[in-house]
Amino acid sequence: MDLRDYIIRRLLLLIPVLFGITLLIFAVLMLFSPSQRAAVYATSPKALKNIDVIIQKYGLNEPIYVQYFTWLKQVLSGNLGFSQIASRPVLEAILDKLPATFELALFSAPLILIPGFYLGTVAATHKDKLVDQFSRVLAIVGWSLPTFWLGLILLMFFSGILPTGRLSNQAVLLKQSEAFTVYTGMNTVDALLNGKFWMFFDAVQHLILPAVTLAVVSMAALMRIMRSSMLEELRAKYVTTARAKGLKEETVINKHARRNALISPVTTATWMVALLFNGVAVVEIIFNYKGIGWLFIRSAQQLDIATVLGFSLFNGLIIMLFNLLADILYAYLDPRINY
Amino acid sequence: MKNRIKEFKKRMAPRIEELQFTIDKIKQSPLTLVALFIILFFVFIAIFAPYLAPPKGSDPYMMPNYGYSATPSPPSEEAVFGTTQQQYDLYYGCIWGARTAFKLATPVLGLVFLIGTGLGLISGYYGGIIDEIIMRSVDTVFAFPYIILAVTLVIALGQGLSSMIIALTVAYWPFYARVMRGEVLKQKEKDYVKAAESLGASDARIMIKHIVPNSIYPVLILASLDFGAIVIAGATLSFFGIGFPIGYSSWGQLASFARDWVSLNYWWATVIPGLFISIFVLGWNLLGDSIRDVMDPTIRRE
């Protein structure tokens, strides 16, 4: 079986999970009364005023399986309901906030990956030495601090120095002016494309605290995974062989062991992405950074169920796709894998 | 009789030796002792909460507040840790918050352990269509970050402790099912299971008497690492104002009250509840980390 067949099989396996995801969200939806559920079908605030019409139109008093297919049809046509928080359709609201969160993740990624991989490797090659103990303490403490508290503490110390939100008022004015073209929705990228360097620095300043807060937990997790993966490789026979050949320890670690040790973190990539999403919700609320996590928590606080359920569904699908990508990458990286 | 005791002793000798080895290992690791000390400290607080902070209202879990001024006031004789927004007593909230933490995390952990290992056992032992259904359910739940799933469920079920327990259980059981299934698959092919089968032992007997004792350790390690994670998850929900009603003793909620007063001038409102959560979780994480070293058969004797 080659890689292509593997990918096709993997895609077929997505079907039951896709079914499961819709079923789970639908089950949660059915916990609400028909008049509450109406918001999930409405396409405009005007429609929401006539709840009885919606209940009639979408058959919200019909048997459950009939309702499931009606709902699925709506979802597939891209209608996730009307978001009262954003006063626009849910899908539109999510897509509007998505670039902000993507930008935050983009700035957080190097803060997670570089120290995570580096410290993990160093801790493994210096097992039980000072560096290893230090990394262990760092990881356990990093795990034990709730993200929201870490965020609050950083805010407490840096509130006068680093701003919250996404942009300063001045930059918002520029962004809304006609002279500015929005290409990606990511402020840093758009600022560079428009040649406004001061706005780029303004956006970066707003990103520092959220990106650092977001990175800590994932970095600690990655470091530990990398450490144990590296330790396992160092115990393997081929490492002994490489050493017996008289290779320098540096070469053994960098060229032999580390390359194989990198595979195992890939298998946890989905889990790491999920971890990142948890953090995004917390960090965006604390630093008032208006991305999808902010949108989700705000709508949960206001009991805006259309947005809550729409976002959950959207989130489930995104992570499922990440899962697929990670599996393919894993198969590609590790030739030993049995397709 | 004497002979039987002797025989029993002889039969148990390896187990006793192993236990002795485990205890020695724990004694050698100061971190484990620190972890146990922290956890016992919080157990003490939780048990003696009614004496440490005598309840003032009809519901002991509701925090008393002294007046209605929004601004937190510093530690004083009336409120030793100071008060937070709306004059809620921080000391009272932190003490009873320990009870809340145990009341939330213990049932969640118990339920995920039972449901997760049970389904993982059935899934791994029987295989086939049952395995397929259970594992696809696991994949489905894994497609949701646990905070997102738990928030969505609590919104649907309504505020309160039982909703939080259900929501977190739904979000956490798949980890246990997956680990247990993997272990069962490993054990199922071993000779001792074949031997039991050929002696005509029933499925239930093979699973419970033979497979479970040999595959439960990794799940136990996972559980000890998860206690802290569940407390953080619960605190995060109440930080969002989603888990508990306003005024309920919960560390997460106390931290959320400090949300508008994040400044060194009101440090106690932010720092104190956060310290309670962090030290509590640190205790569990230290314990989990050292249990792994002590119990894991592959590194135990290194």
Side-chain angles (χ1 to χ4, degrees):
Chain A
M1 213 149 106
D2 62 4
L3 194 61
R4 203 194 54 183
D5 290 348
Y6 171 75
I7 293 174
I8 291 173
R9 224 191 63 165
R10 209 45 206 73
L11 282 172
L12 287 176
L13 271 176
L14 280 190
I15 295 169
V17 177
L18 209 56
F19 178 67
I21 290 175
T22 57
L23 212 57
L24 181 64
I25 296 295
F26 181 72
V28 176
L29 175 65
M30 291 309 284
L31 290 171
F32 293 97
S33 70
S35 55
Q36 285 173 304
R37 293 206 299 271
V40 174
Y41 298 87
T43 43
S44 67
K46 226 168 86 190
L48 267 176
K49 291 213 174 73
N50 288 315
I51 285 178
D52 291 334
V53 177
I54 298 179
I55 294 179
Q56 276 296 315
K57 188 177 169 197
Y58 296 103
L60 300 189
N61 286 319
E62 300 274 313
I64 288 179
Y65 63 93
V66 178
Q67 284 194 48
Y68 173 70
F69 288 108
T70 328
W71 173 78
L72 201 60
K73 226 168 89 187
Q74 289 296 309
V75 169
L76 288 177
S77 67
N79 174 20
L80 296 177
F82 191 81
S83 164
Q84 277 138 317
I85 292 291
S87 45
R88 60 206 298 189
V90 171
L91 189 62
E92 229 182 272
I94 294 173
L95 294 178
D96 178 54
K97 295 275 186 285
L98 195 59
T101 302
F102 190 71
E103 187 175 29
L104 177 58
L106 214 60
F107 274 79
S108 232
L111 301 178
I112 297 168
L113 298 176
I114 297 171
F117 281 126
Y118 178 74
L119 284 175
T121 314
V122 173
T125 51
H126 295 76
K127 189 171 179 289
D128 294 330
K129 299 273 170 54
L130 196 65
V131 195
D132 187 29
Q133 300 297 357
F134 171 74
S135 83
R136 185 178 184 166
V137 170
L138 198 71
I140 294 178
V141 171
W143 262 123
S144 306
L145 296 179
T147 307
F148 64 83
W149 192 53
L150 182 71
L152 290 180
I153 293 292
L154 285 177
L155 201 58
M156 192 157 102
F157 284 103
F158 295 99
S159 58
I161 308 160
L162 291 165
T164 58
R166 280 191 73 195
L167 284 174
S168 63
N169 293 336
Q170 208 184 350
V172 171
L173 283 180
L174 172 70
K175 198 182 169 184
Q176 284 162 350
S177 70
E178 275 180 24
F180 193 88
T181 331
V182 175
Y183 296 98
T184 61
M186 290 187 274
N187 289 334
T188 49
V189 178
D190 286 348
L192 286 182
L193 289 176
N194 282 281
K196 303 283 183 204
F197 291 104
W198 67 267
M199 183 181 159
F200 172 78
F201 288 116
D202 185 277
V204 169
Q205 265 187 5
H206 285 81
L207 276 162
I208 295 174
L209 286 181
V212 169
T213 312
L214 186 58
V216 170
V217 174
S218 302
M219 195 279 275
L222 179 63
M223 185 169 76
R224 293 306 276 181
I225 293 167
M226 186 62 193
R227 175 183 178 270
S228 59
S229 161
M230 189 74 186
L231 277 180
E232 209 161 289
E233 293 304 328
L234 286 174
R235 267 190 292 231
K237 295 232 166 68
Y238 71 89
V239 170
T240 318
T241 313
R243 281 185 183 141
K245 280 195 299 190
L247 288 182
K248 267 188 283 177
E249 187 63 20
E250 239 182 82
T251 324
V252 174
I253 288 165
N254 294 334
K255 293 260 156 93
H256 291 70
R258 179 153 44 195
R259 287 200 178 174
N260 288 315
L262 283 174
I263 292 169
S264 152
V266 173
T267 58
T268 57
T270 326
W271 178 74
M272 297 280 287
V273 171
L275 200 65
L276 210 61
F277 266 108
N278 287 328
V280 159
V282 176
V283 160
E284 289 187 352
I285 283 291
I286 288 180
F287 297 105
N288 200 21
Y289 185 94
K290 294 180 181 164
I292 51 174
W294 180 88
L295 177 72
F296 174 71
I297 297 299
R298 269 305 154 89
S299 25
Q301 287 167 341
Q302 308 288 325
L303 299 179
D304 177 354
I305 66 164
T307 317
V308 169
L309 289 173
F311 178 78
S312 296
L313 185 64
F314 181 81
N315 203 186
L317 297 180
I318 286 189
I319 294 202
M320 193 187 73
L321 289 180
F322 261 104
N323 204 351
L324 178 72
L325 273 179
D327 277 0
I328 293 172
L329 187 64
Y330 178 56
Y332 175 76
L333 284 177
D334 191 349
R336 289 168 304 184
I337 185 181
N338 198 356
Y339 292 136
Chain B
M1 187 65 198
K2 230 180 186 176
N3 267 342
R4 287 185 69 178
I5 292 173
K6 219 174 173 182
E7 196 197 338
F8 181 75
K9 263 192 180 165
K10 201 174 152 194
R11 214 175 55 206
M12 295 305 281
R15 289 208 179 170
I16 293 168
E17 206 174 286
E18 279 299 291
L19 189 68
Q20 194 62 47
F21 182 76
T22 307
I23 293 170
D24 285 349
K25 272 242 154 185
I26 291 173
K27 277 189 193 154
Q28 280 167 19
S29 125
L31 280 185
T32 318
L33 295 177
V34 172
L36 287 174
F37 177 77
I38 293 175
I39 291 166
L40 287 178
F41 172 72
F42 280 100
V43 170
F44 175 83
I45 290 183
I47 291 176
F48 293 102
Y51 303 99
L52 292 168
K56 288 177 181 140
S58 53
D59 183 353
Y61 286 94
M62 299 307 280
M63 292 179 280
N65 56 342
Y66 312 120
Y68 293 93
S69 157
T71 328
S73 49
S76 65
E77 246 171 57
E78 194 185 21
V80 281
F81 288 171
T83 64
T84 185
Q85 186 172 283
Q86 307 293 340
Q87 305 311 312
Y88 284 108
D89 186 344
L90 265 177
Y91 171 76
Y92 190 93
C94 286
I95 297 291
W96 283 84
R99 259 201 187 196
T100 306
F102 279 109
K103 265 177 70 174
L104 175 68
T106 318
V108 171
L109 206 61
L111 282 172
V112 293
F113 191 81
L114 279 180
I115 297 173
T117 47
L119 289 176
L121 182 64
I122 292 169
S123 182
Y125 187 77
Y126 288 108
I129 183 79
I130 299 176
D131 182 34
E132 204 57 42
I133 291 173
I134 294 176
M135 282 303 116
R136 293 296 81 77
S137 318
V138 165
D139 288 348
T140 301
V141 179
F142 270 142
F144 297 94
Y146 67 88
I147 292 281
I148 308 292
L149 185 58
V151 165
T152 307
L153 284 169
V154 171
I155 292 302
L157 298 169
Q159 276 186 336
L161 187 66
S162 49
S163 308
M164 298 247 294
I165 292 173
I166 296 173
L168 291 175
T169 305
V170 172
Y172 270 95
W173 72 270
F175 291 96
Y176 292 76
R178 186 175 272 189
V179 172
M180 186 66 183
R181 175 177 175 271
E183 288 302 310
V184 172
L185 285 180
K186 263 188 245 163
Q187 298 297 329
K188 203 171 80 171
E189 298 306 319
K190 293 206 170 147
D191 287 342
Y192 73 90
V193 175
K194 301 277 176 232
E197 261 168 31
S198 65
L199 284 172
S202 67
D203 284 350
R205 190 183 163 85
I206 294 176
M207 281 196 274
I208 292 165
K209 278 244 152 183
H210 299 279
I211 294 182
V212 168
N214 284 301
S215 48
I216 204 78
Y217 276 117
V219 193
L220 282 176
I221 292 167
L222 188 63
S224 66
L225 282 170
D226 262 357
F227 203 96
I230 289 169
V231 168
I232 289 192
T236 305
L237 290 192
S238 48
F239 177 75
F240 290 142
I242 285 164
F244 291 113
I246 290 175
Y248 196 90
S249 301
S250 137
W251 296 331
Q253 192 172 73
L254 284 175
S256 82
F257 284 158
R259 183 68 194 79
D260 291 331
W261 307 97
V262 180
S263 125
L264 288 170
N265 299 331
Y266 303 103
W267 62 270
W268 60 91
T270 310
V271 171
I272 294 177
L275 272 182
F276 268 80
I277 309 175
S278 305
I279 295 175
F280 184 77
V281 175
L282 182 71
W284 285 100
N285 286 350
L286 282 176
L287 184 74
D289 203 65
S290 42
I291 283 186
R292 184 172 40 197
D293 284 0
V294 172
M295 295 288 192
D296 189 343
T298 57
I299 56 173
R300 177 179 164 90
R301 303 219 178 255
E302 259 181 23

